[in-house]
Amino acid sequence: MSEKRDVLGALGLCAKAGKLSFGIPMICEALKNGGKNRPVLVVEASDTSDNSHKRIQDRCRFYGTEILRAEITGGELGAAVGKTTMLGAVGVTDAGLAALVRSKLLS
């Protein structure tokens, strides 16, 4: 349980720093456009639909971006980053913060 809290806390820090893309459509757009807002790491909620999962996974694979599926619901993910709605995924756009999130997810 503390691992989940650590991951959510790290994602909240990313949101406060302004280094997140929110939601699958925005992440796909950021991957396509590139630049400084291109995600380095994508964290996907565990309860995304099969179609959404395939869409984000295919995009990340095409653009060579790491994607991790977390044991976090869309509601928990949205709440952690200050949104009132469920989110299927968030994209971390800063390499240092991505390393922090990755370390929390893989610990």
Side-chain angles (χ1 to χ4, degrees):
M1 192 62 161
S2 67
E3 294 168 357
K4 183 188 278 192
R5 188 174 46 233
D6 289 347
V7 171
L8 294 174
L11 290 171
L13 181 65
C14 295
K16 286 180 183 174
K19 301 295 182 182
L20 282 183
S21 297
F22 302 101
I24 293 172
M26 296 294 282
I27 293 169
C28 290
E29 190 68 26
L31 286 169
K32 182 174 133 184
N33 292 337
K36 66 178 181 138
N37 291 327
R38 184 175 187 173
V40 178
L41 171 69
V42 173
V43 179
E44 182 186 7
S46 61
D47 59 351
T48 54
S49 68
D50 291 341
N51 188 38
S52 294
H53 174 69
K54 182 174 176 4
R55 179 179 178 201
I56 193 72
Q57 194 168 30
D58 288 350
R59 272 302 155 96
C60 287
R61 188 176 300 125
F62 182 80
Y63 289 105
T65 301
E66 182 180 9
I67 182 170
L68 296 173
R69 191 163 190 166
E71 290 301 317
I72 299 168
T73 66
E76 291 170 331
L77 186 58
V81 298
K83 300 294 181 185
T84 58
T85 59
M86 292 176 40
L87 289 175
V90 293
V92 183
T93 60
D94 179 79
L97 290 171
L100 172 68
V101 173
R102 187 180 303 108
S103 72
K104 300 294 182 187
L105 272 171
L106 300 177
S107 64

